[in-house]
Coordinates of all heavy atoms in Angstrom, one line a residue:
R1 N -5.8 -11.1 3.6 CA -6.0 -9.6 3.8 C -5.3 -9.2 5.1 O -5.3 -10.1 6.0 CB -7.5 -9.3 3.8 CG -8.2 -9.5 2.4 CD -7.8 -8.6 1.2 NE -8.3 -7.3 1.5 CZ -8.2 -6.5 0.6 NH1 -7.3 -6.7 -0.4 NH2 -8.8 -5.3 0.7
W2 N -5.0 -8.0 5.3 CA -4.4 -7.5 6.6 C -4.9 -6.0 6.8 O -5.1 -5.4 5.9 CB -3.0 -7.6 6.7 CG -2.2 -6.7 5.8 CD1 -1.8 -5.6 6.0 CD2 -1.8 -7.1 4.5 NE1 -1.1 -4.9 4.9 CE2 -1.0 -5.9 3.9 CE3 -1.8 -8.2 3.6 CZ2 -0.5 -6.0 2.8 CZ3 -1.3 -8.2 2.4 CH2 -0.6 -7.1 1.9
K3 N -4.8 -5.7 8.0 CA -5.2 -4.2 8.4 C -4.1 -3.9 9.4 O -3.8 -4.6 10.4 CB -6.5 -4.2 8.9 CG -6.8 -2.8 9.5 CD -8.3 -2.6 10.0 CE -8.6 -1.3 10.5 NZ -8.2 -0.2 9.8
V4 N -3.5 -2.8 9.3 CA -2.5 -2.2 10.2 C -3.2 -1.2 11.1 O -3.9 -0.3 10.6 CB -1.3 -1.6 9.5 CG1 -0.3 -1.0 10.4 CG2 -0.6 -2.7 8.6
Q5 N -3.0 -1.3 12.4 CA -3.5 -0.4 13.4 C -2.2 0.4 13.8 O -1.5 0.0 14.8 CB -4.2 -0.9 14.6 CG -5.6 -1.5 14.3 CD -6.6 -0.4 14.0 OE1 -7.0 -0.1 12.9 NE2 -7.0 0.3 15.2
S6 N -1.8 1.4 13.1 CA -0.5 2.0 13.3 C -0.4 2.6 14.8 O 0.7 2.5 15.4 CB -0.3 3.2 12.4 OG -0.3 2.6 11.1
D7 N -1.5 3.1 15.3 CA -1.3 3.7 16.7 C -1.2 2.7 17.7 O -0.5 2.8 18.8 CB -2.6 4.6 17.0 CG -3.9 3.8 16.8 OD1 -3.9 2.9 15.8 OD2 -4.9 4.2 17.4
L8 N -1.6 1.4 17.6 CA -1.3 0.3 18.4 C -0.2 -0.5 18.1 O 0.2 -1.5 18.8 CB -2.7 -0.6 18.6 CG -4.0 0.1 18.8 CD1 -5.1 -0.9 18.9 CD2 -3.9 0.8 20.2
K9 N 0.4 -0.3 16.9 CA 1.5 -1.2 16.5 C 1.1 -2.6 16.3 O 1.9 -3.5 16.8 CB 2.7 -1.0 17.2 CG 3.2 0.5 17.3 CD 4.4 0.6 18.1 CE 4.9 2.0 18.1 NZ 5.9 2.4 19.1
I10 N 0.0 -2.9 15.7 CA -0.7 -4.2 15.5 C -1.1 -4.4 14.1 O -1.6 -3.4 13.6 CB -1.8 -4.4 16.5 CG1 -1.4 -4.4 17.9 CG2 -2.5 -5.6 16.2 CD1 -2.5 -4.8 18.9
V11 N -0.9 -5.6 13.7 CA -1.3 -6.0 12.3 C -2.4 -7.1 12.5 O -2.1 -8.1 13.2 CB -0.1 -6.5 11.5 CG1 -0.7 -7.0 10.1 CG2 0.8 -5.5 11.2
F12 N -3.6 -6.9 12.0 CA -4.6 -8.0 12.0 C -4.6 -8.6 10.6 O -4.5 -7.9 9.5 CB -5.9 -7.4 12.1 CG -6.2 -6.7 13.4 CD1 -5.8 -5.3 13.8 CD2 -6.6 -7.4 14.5 CE1 -6.1 -4.7 14.9 CE2 -6.7 -6.8 15.8 CZ -6.4 -5.5 16.0
A13 N -4.5 -9.9 10.5 CA -4.4 -10.6 9.3 C -5.5 -11.9 9.3 O -5.6 -12.4 10.3 CB -3.0 -11.1 9.1
I14 N -6.0 -12.0 8.1 CA -6.9 -13.2 8.0 C -6.5 -13.9 6.8 O -6.0 -13.4 5.8 CB -8.4 -12.8 7.9 CG1 -8.6 -11.7 6.9 CG2 -8.9 -12.4 9.3 CD1 -10.1 -11.3 6.8
V15 N -6.6 -15.3 6.8 CA -6.4 -16.1 5.7 C -7.7 -16.9 5.5 O -8.2 -17.4 6.4 CB -5.2 -17.1 6.0 CG1 -4.8 -18.0 4.9 CG2 -3.8 -16.2 6.4
Y16 N -7.9 -17.1 4.4 CA -9.1 -17.8 4.0 C -9.0 -18.6 2.7 O -8.2 -18.2 1.8 CB -10.4 -16.8 3.7 CG -10.1 -15.6 2.9 CD1 -10.4 -15.6 1.5 CD2 -9.4 -14.5 3.3 CE1 -10.1 -14.7 0.7 CE2 -9.1 -13.4 2.5 CZ -9.5 -13.5 1.2 OH -9.3 -12.4 0.4
K17 N -9.8 -19.7 2.6 CA -9.6 -20.5 1.4 C -10.6 -20.4 0.4 O -10.4 -20.8 -0.8 CB -9.6 -22.0 1.9 CG -10.8 -22.5 2.4 CD -10.7 -24.0 2.9 CE -12.0 -24.5 3.4 NZ -11.9 -25.9 3.7
E18 N -11.7 -19.7 0.7 CA -12.8 -19.5 -0.3 C -12.6 -18.2 -0.9 O -12.0 -17.1 -0.3 CB -14.2 -19.6 0.4 CG -14.5 -20.9 1.0 CD -15.8 -20.9 1.8 OE1 -16.6 -19.9 1.5 OE2 -16.0 -21.8 2.6
I19 N -13.1 -18.1 -2.1 CA -13.0 -16.8 -2.9 C -14.1 -15.9 -2.4 O -15.4 -16.3 -2.5 CB -13.1 -17.0 -4.4 CG1 -11.8 -17.7 -4.7 CG2 -13.1 -15.5 -5.0 CD1 -11.8 -18.0 -6.3
L20 N -14.0 -14.9 -1.6 CA -14.9 -14.0 -1.2 C -14.7 -12.7 -1.7 O -13.5 -12.3 -2.0 CB -15.0 -13.9 0.4 CG -15.2 -15.2 1.2 CD1 -15.0 -15.0 2.6 CD2 -16.6 -15.6 0.9
Q21 N -15.7 -11.8 -1.7 CA -15.6 -10.4 -2.1 C -14.6 -9.8 -1.2 O -14.7 -9.8 0.1 CB -16.8 -9.8 -2.2 CG -17.7 -10.2 -3.4 CD -19.0 -9.4 -3.3 OE1 -19.3 -8.6 -2.4 NE2 -19.7 -9.6 -4.4
L22 N -13.5 -9.1 -1.6 CA -12.6 -8.5 -0.7 C -13.2 -7.4 0.1 O -12.8 -7.3 1.2 CB -11.4 -7.8 -1.6 CG -10.6 -8.9 -2.4 CD1 -9.5 -8.1 -3.1 CD2 -10.0 -10.0 -1.4
T23 N -14.2 -6.8 -0.3 CA -14.9 -5.8 0.6 C -15.7 -6.5 1.8 O -15.6 -5.9 2.8 CB -16.0 -5.0 -0.3 OG1 -16.9 -6.0 -0.8 CG2 -15.5 -4.2 -1.3
L24 N -16.1 -7.7 1.5 CA -16.6 -8.4 2.7 C -15.5 -8.7 3.8 O -15.6 -8.6 4.9 CB -17.2 -9.7 2.3 CG -18.4 -9.7 1.4 CD1 -18.9 -11.1 1.1 CD2 -19.5 -9.1 2.3
M25 N -14.2 -9.1 3.2 CA -13.1 -9.3 4.1 C -12.7 -8.1 4.8 O -12.3 -8.1 6.0 CB -12.0 -10.0 3.4 CG -12.3 -11.3 2.7 SD -13.2 -12.5 3.8 CE -12.0 -12.8 5.0
D26 N -12.7 -7.0 4.2 CA -12.3 -5.6 4.7 C -13.3 -5.3 5.9 O -13.0 -4.8 6.8 CB -12.4 -4.6 3.7 CG -11.2 -4.7 2.7 OD1 -10.1 -5.3 3.1 OD2 -11.2 -4.1 1.6
D27 N -14.6 -5.6 5.6 CA -15.5 -5.4 6.6 C -15.3 -6.3 8.0 O -15.4 -5.6 9.1 CB -17.0 -5.6 6.2 CG -17.5 -4.7 5.2 OD1 -16.9 -3.6 5.1 OD2 -18.6 -5.0 4.6
F28 N -14.9 -7.4 7.7 CA -14.7 -8.3 8.9 C -13.4 -7.8 9.6 O -13.4 -7.8 10.8 CB -14.5 -9.7 8.3 CG -14.2 -10.8 9.4 CD1 -15.2 -10.9 10.4 CD2 -13.1 -11.6 9.4 CE1 -14.9 -11.7 11.5 CE2 -12.9 -12.6 10.4 CZ -13.9 -12.6 11.4
L29 N -12.3 -7.4 8.9 CA -11.2 -7.0 9.5 C -11.5 -5.6 10.3 O -10.9 -5.4 11.4 CB -10.2 -6.6 8.5 CG -9.2 -7.8 8.0 CD1 -8.4 -7.4 6.8 CD2 -8.4 -8.3 9.1
E30 N -12.2 -4.8 9.8 CA -12.7 -3.6 10.5 C -13.3 -3.9 11.8 O -13.1 -3.3 12.8 CB -13.5 -2.7 9.6 CG -12.9 -2.0 8.4 CD -11.8 -0.9 8.9 OE1 -12.0 -0.3 10.0 OE2 -10.8 -0.7 8.2
M31 N -14.3 -4.7 11.8 CA -15.0 -5.2 13.0 C -14.2 -5.8 14.0 O -14.2 -5.6 15.2 CB -16.1 -6.3 12.6 CG -17.2 -5.7 11.7 SD -18.4 -6.9 11.0 CE -19.4 -7.4 12.5
L32 N -13.2 -6.7 13.5 CA -12.3 -7.2 14.5 C -11.3 -6.1 15.1 O -11.1 -6.1 16.3 CB -11.3 -8.2 13.7 CG -11.9 -9.7 13.6 CD1 -11.0 -10.5 12.7 CD2 -12.4 -10.3 14.9
A33 N -10.7 -5.3 14.2 CA -9.9 -4.4 14.8 C -10.5 -3.4 15.7 O -9.9 -3.0 16.6 CB -9.2 -3.5 13.5
Y34 N -11.8 -3.0 15.4 CA -12.5 -2.1 16.3 C -12.7 -2.7 17.6 O -12.5 -2.1 18.6 CB -13.9 -1.6 15.7 CG -14.6 -0.7 16.5 CD1 -14.5 0.6 16.5 CD2 -15.5 -1.2 17.4 CE1 -15.1 1.5 17.4 CE2 -16.2 -0.3 18.3 CZ -16.1 1.0 18.3 OH -16.9 1.7 19.1
D35 N -13.2 -4.0 17.7 CA -13.4 -4.7 18.8 C -12.2 -4.9 19.8 O -12.2 -4.5 20.9 CB -14.1 -6.0 18.6 CG -14.5 -6.8 19.9 OD1 -15.4 -6.4 20.4 OD2 -13.7 -7.7 20.3
F36 N -11.0 -5.3 19.0 CA -9.8 -5.4 19.7 C -9.4 -4.1 20.3 O -9.0 -4.0 21.5 CB -8.7 -6.0 18.8 CG -7.5 -6.4 19.5 CD1 -7.5 -7.7 20.1 CD2 -6.5 -5.6 19.7 CE1 -6.3 -8.1 20.7 CE2 -5.3 -6.0 20.4 CZ -5.2 -7.3 20.9
E37 N -9.5 -3.0 19.5 CA -8.9 -1.7 20.0 C -9.8 -1.3 21.2 O -9.2 -0.7 22.3 CB -9.0 -0.6 18.9 CG -8.4 0.7 19.5 CD -8.4 1.7 18.4 OE1 -8.7 1.2 17.1 OE2 -8.1 2.8 18.5
H38 N -11.1 -1.5 21.3 CA -11.9 -0.9 22.3 C -12.2 -1.8 23.3 O -12.5 -1.3 24.6 CB -13.2 -0.3 21.6 CG -13.0 0.9 20.8 ND1 -12.6 0.7 19.4 CD2 -12.9 2.2 21.1 CE1 -12.5 1.9 18.8 NE2 -12.7 2.8 19.9
K39 N -12.3 -3.1 23.2 CA -12.5 -4.0 24.2 C -11.4 -4.8 24.9 O -11.3 -5.1 25.9 CB -13.5 -5.0 23.7 CG -14.8 -4.5 23.1 CD -15.6 -3.9 24.1 CE -16.9 -3.4 23.4 NZ -18.0 -3.0 24.2
V40 N -10.3 -5.0 24.0 CA -9.2 -6.0 24.5 C -8.0 -5.1 24.9 O -7.4 -5.4 25.9 CB -8.9 -7.0 23.5 CG1 -7.7 -7.8 23.9 CG2 -10.1 -7.9 23.1
W41 N -7.6 -4.2 24.0 CA -6.4 -3.4 24.2 C -6.4 -2.7 25.6 O -5.3 -2.8 26.2 CB -6.2 -2.3 23.0 CG -5.0 -1.7 23.1 CD1 -4.6 -0.4 23.6 CD2 -3.7 -2.2 22.7 NE1 -3.3 -0.1 23.5 CE2 -2.7 -1.2 23.0 CE3 -3.3 -3.4 22.1 CZ2 -1.4 -1.4 22.6 CZ3 -1.9 -3.6 21.7 CH2 -0.9 -2.5 22.0
P42 N -7.4 -2.0 26.0 CA -7.3 -1.4 27.3 C -7.0 -2.4 28.4 O -6.6 -2.0 29.5 CB -8.6 -0.8 27.5 CG -9.3 -0.6 26.1 CD -8.6 -1.8 25.4
K43 N -7.4 -3.7 28.2 CA -7.2 -4.8 29.4 C -5.8 -5.5 29.3 O -5.5 -6.2 30.3 CB -8.3 -5.8 29.3 CG -9.6 -5.2 29.4 CD -10.7 -6.2 29.3 CE -12.1 -5.6 29.5 NZ -13.1 -6.5 29.2
L44 N -5.0 -5.1 28.3 CA -3.7 -5.9 28.2 C -2.7 -5.3 29.2 O -2.7 -4.1 29.5 CB -3.2 -5.7 26.7 CG -4.0 -6.3 25.6 CD1 -3.3 -6.1 24.3 CD2 -4.1 -7.9 25.8
S45 N -1.9 -6.1 29.7 CA -0.8 -5.8 30.5 C 0.5 -5.7 29.5 O 0.8 -6.6 28.9 CB -0.5 -6.8 31.5 OG 0.7 -6.5 32.2
I46 N 1.0 -4.4 29.3 CA 2.1 -4.2 28.5 C 3.3 -3.6 29.2 O 3.1 -2.7 30.0 CB 1.6 -3.2 27.3 CG1 0.4 -3.9 26.6 CG2 2.8 -2.9 26.4 CD1 -0.1 -2.9 25.6
N47 N 4.4 -4.2 29.0 CA 5.6 -3.8 29.6 C 6.7 -3.5 28.8 O 7.1 -4.5 28.0 CB 6.0 -4.8 30.7 CG 7.2 -4.3 31.5 OD1 7.7 -3.2 31.5 ND2 7.7 -5.2 32.4
G48 N 7.1 -2.3 28.6 CA 8.2 -2.0 27.6 C 7.8 -2.3 26.2 O 8.7 -2.7 25.4
G49 N 6.5 -2.1 25.8 CA 6.1 -2.4 24.4 C 5.8 -3.9 24.2 O 5.5 -4.3 23.0
V50 N 5.9 -4.7 25.2 CA 5.8 -6.1 25.0 C 4.4 -6.5 25.7 O 4.3 -6.2 27.0 CB 6.9 -7.0 25.6 CG1 6.5 -8.5 25.5 CG2 8.2 -6.6 24.9
V51 N 3.4 -7.2 25.1 CA 2.2 -7.6 25.7 C 2.6 -8.8 26.7 O 3.1 -9.8 26.2 CB 1.2 -8.0 24.6 CG1 0.0 -8.6 25.3 CG2 0.9 -6.8 23.8
M52 N 2.2 -8.6 28.0 CA 2.5 -9.7 28.9 C 1.5 -10.6 29.1 O 1.7 -11.8 29.6 CB 2.9 -8.9 30.1 CG 4.0 -8.0 30.1 SD 5.5 -8.6 29.3 CE 6.2 -9.5 30.8
T53 N 0.1 -10.2 28.8 CA -0.9 -11.1 29.0 C -1.9 -10.9 27.9 O -2.1 -9.9 27.3 CB -1.7 -10.8 30.3 OG1 -2.2 -9.4 30.3 CG2 -0.9 -11.1 31.5
I54 N -2.6 -12.0 27.5 CA -3.5 -11.9 26.4 C -4.9 -12.5 27.1 O -4.8 -13.4 27.7 CB -3.0 -12.8 25.3 CG1 -1.8 -12.2 24.6 CG2 -4.2 -12.8 24.2 CD1 -1.2 -12.9 23.5
P55 N -6.0 -11.8 26.8 CA -7.2 -12.4 27.3 C -7.4 -13.8 26.8 O -7.3 -13.9 25.6 CB -8.4 -11.5 26.8 CG -7.5 -10.1 26.5 CD -6.2 -10.6 26.1
Q56 N -7.8 -14.7 27.6 CA -8.0 -16.1 27.3 C -9.3 -16.4 26.7 O -9.5 -17.5 26.1 CB -7.6 -17.0 28.5 CG -6.2 -16.9 29.0 CD -5.9 -17.8 30.1 OE1 -6.8 -18.6 30.6 NE2 -4.8 -17.9 30.6
Q57 N -10.2 -15.5 26.9 CA -11.6 -15.9 26.5 C -12.0 -14.9 25.2 O -13.1 -14.7 25.1 CB -12.5 -15.7 27.6 CG -12.2 -16.6 28.8 CD -13.1 -16.5 29.9 OE1 -14.0 -15.7 30.0 NE2 -12.9 -17.4 30.9
Y58 N -11.0 -14.6 24.4 CA -11.3 -13.8 23.3 C -12.2 -14.7 22.2 O -12.9 -14.1 21.4 CB -10.1 -13.2 22.7 CG -10.5 -12.1 21.6 CD1 -11.1 -11.0 22.0 CD2 -10.3 -12.5 20.2 CE1 -11.4 -10.1 21.2 CE2 -10.7 -11.5 19.3 CZ -11.2 -10.4 19.8 OH -11.6 -9.3 18.8
E59 N -12.0 -16.0 22.2 CA -12.6 -16.8 21.2 C -14.2 -16.5 21.1 O -14.7 -16.5 20.0 CB -12.2 -18.3 21.5 CG -12.9 -19.3 20.4 CD -12.4 -20.7 20.6 OE1 -11.6 -21.0 21.4 OE2 -13.1 -21.5 19.9
A60 N -14.8 -16.3 22.2 CA -16.2 -16.1 22.3 C -16.5 -14.8 21.6 O -17.4 -14.7 20.9 CB -16.8 -16.2 23.7
R61 N -15.6 -13.8 21.9 CA -15.9 -12.5 21.2 C -15.7 -12.6 19.7 O -16.4 -12.0 18.9 CB -15.0 -11.5 21.8 CG -15.2 -11.1 23.2 CD -14.7 -9.7 23.6 NE -15.2 -8.6 22.8 CZ -16.3 -8.1 23.0 NH1 -17.2 -8.5 23.9 NH2 -16.6 -7.1 22.3
F62 N -14.8 -13.4 19.3 CA -14.4 -13.5 17.9 C -15.6 -14.3 17.3 O -15.9 -13.8 16.2 CB -13.1 -14.3 17.9 CG -12.8 -14.7 16.4 CD1 -12.1 -13.8 15.6 CD2 -13.2 -15.9 15.8 CE1 -11.7 -14.0 14.2 CE2 -12.8 -16.1 14.4 CZ -12.1 -15.3 13.7
M63 N -16.1 -15.2 17.9 CA -17.2 -16.1 17.2 C -18.4 -15.0 17.2 O -19.2 -15.1 16.2 CB -17.7 -17.1 18.1 CG -16.5 -18.3 18.1 SD -16.0 -18.8 16.4 CE -17.4 -19.6 15.8
H64 N -18.7 -14.1 18.2 CA -19.8 -13.2 18.1 C -19.6 -12.3 16.9 O -20.5 -11.9 16.2 CB -19.8 -12.5 19.5 CG -20.9 -11.5 19.5 ND1 -22.3 -11.7 19.6 CD2 -20.8 -10.0 19.4 CE1 -22.9 -10.6 19.5 NE2 -22.1 -9.6 19.4
I65 N -18.4 -11.8 16.7 CA -18.1 -10.8 15.6 C -18.3 -11.5 14.2 O -18.9 -11.0 13.4 CB -16.6 -10.3 15.8 CG1 -16.5 -9.4 17.0 CG2 -16.3 -9.4 14.5 CD1 -15.1 -9.1 17.4
M66 N -17.8 -12.8 14.2 CA -18.0 -13.5 13.0 C -19.4 -13.7 12.6 O -19.8 -13.6 11.5 CB -17.2 -14.9 13.1 CG -17.3 -15.7 11.8 SD -16.4 -17.2 11.9 CE -14.8 -16.6 11.4
Q67 N -20.2 -14.1 13.7 CA -21.7 -14.4 13.4 C -22.3 -13.0 13.0 O -23.2 -13.0 12.0 CB -22.3 -14.9 14.6 CG -21.9 -16.3 14.9 CD -22.4 -16.7 16.3 OE1 -22.9 -15.9 17.2 NE2 -22.2 -18.0 16.6
A68 N -22.0 -11.9 13.5 CA -22.5 -10.5 13.1 C -22.0 -10.2 11.7 O -22.9 -9.8 10.9 CB -22.0 -9.5 14.1
W69 N -20.8 -10.5 11.4 CA -20.3 -10.4 10.0 C -21.1 -11.2 9.1 O -21.5 -10.7 8.0 CB -18.8 -10.5 9.9 CG -18.3 -10.6 8.6 CD1 -18.1 -9.5 7.8 CD2 -17.7 -11.7 7.8 NE1 -17.5 -9.8 6.6 CE2 -17.5 -11.1 6.6 CE3 -17.6 -13.0 8.1 CZ2 -16.8 -12.1 5.6 CZ3 -17.1 -13.8 7.1 CH2 -16.8 -13.3 5.9
E70 N -21.2 -12.5 9.4 CA -22.0 -13.4 8.4 C -23.4 -13.0 8.2 O -23.9 -13.2 7.1 CB -21.9 -14.8 8.9 CG -20.4 -15.4 8.8 CD -20.3 -16.8 9.4 OE1 -21.2 -17.2 10.2 OE2 -19.4 -17.5 8.9
A71 N -24.1 -12.3 9.1 CA -25.5 -12.0 9.1 C -25.5 -10.8 8.1 O -26.5 -10.6 7.4 CB -25.9 -11.5 10.4
K72 N -24.4 -9.9 7.9 CA -24.3 -8.8 7.0 C -24.1 -9.3 5.5 O -24.4 -8.5 4.7 CB -23.2 -7.9 7.5 CG -23.5 -7.1 8.7 CD -22.3 -6.3 9.1 CE -21.9 -5.3 8.1 NZ -20.8 -4.4 8.5
K73 N -23.6 -10.5 5.3 CA -23.2 -10.9 4.0 C -24.4 -10.9 3.2 O -25.4 -11.4 3.3 CB -22.5 -12.2 3.9 CG -21.1 -12.2 4.6 CD -20.3 -13.4 4.1 CE -20.7 -14.7 4.7 NZ -19.8 -15.8 4.6

């Protein structure tokens, strides 16, 4: 599944091996996209449309989002 954030020119994509309800995956993508847009994007260093730095500690945020999503299932 994927989600395009046109205003940010970013594509979020997830690949999974289990068969899950697609609505569940859409919820997860929405949660990730929202978090990235509001928490990560403002902190990125962008020069000429190219991202120059990426937060190195996003893994902890990702795990937090995944746990919140799994609690909703």
Side-chain angles (χ1 to χ4, degrees):
R1 298 292 280 180
W2 69 87
K3 176 177 178 44
V4 177
Q5 288 291 105
S6 299
D7 53 331
L8 302 180
K9 299 179 182 173
I10 288 182
V11 176
F12 295 91
I14 50 177
V15 178
Y16 50 95
K17 65 180 181 176
E18 297 177 19
I19 297 175
L20 298 173
Q21 292 180 353
L22 294 180
T23 55
L24 292 176
M25 299 312 298
D26 289 338
D27 289 346
F28 185 55
L29 278 171
E30 288 293 329
M31 292 170 75
L32 281 174
Y34 180 87
D35 185 74
F36 190 87
E37 180 177 356
H38 292 90
K39 306 287 183 175
V40 177
W41 187 260
K43 297 177 183 176
L44 294 180
S45 173
I46 300 172
N47 185 3
V50 176
V51 175
M52 305 304 284
T53 60
I54 298 174
Q56 295 180 1
Q57 299 180 354
Y58 190 73
E59 185 175 345
R61 292 198 62 74
F62 179 85
M63 294 306 293
H64 177 72
I65 294 167
M66 181 178 274
Q67 289 169 349
W69 172 72
E70 287 178 339
K72 289 175 62 175
K73 291 197 291 187

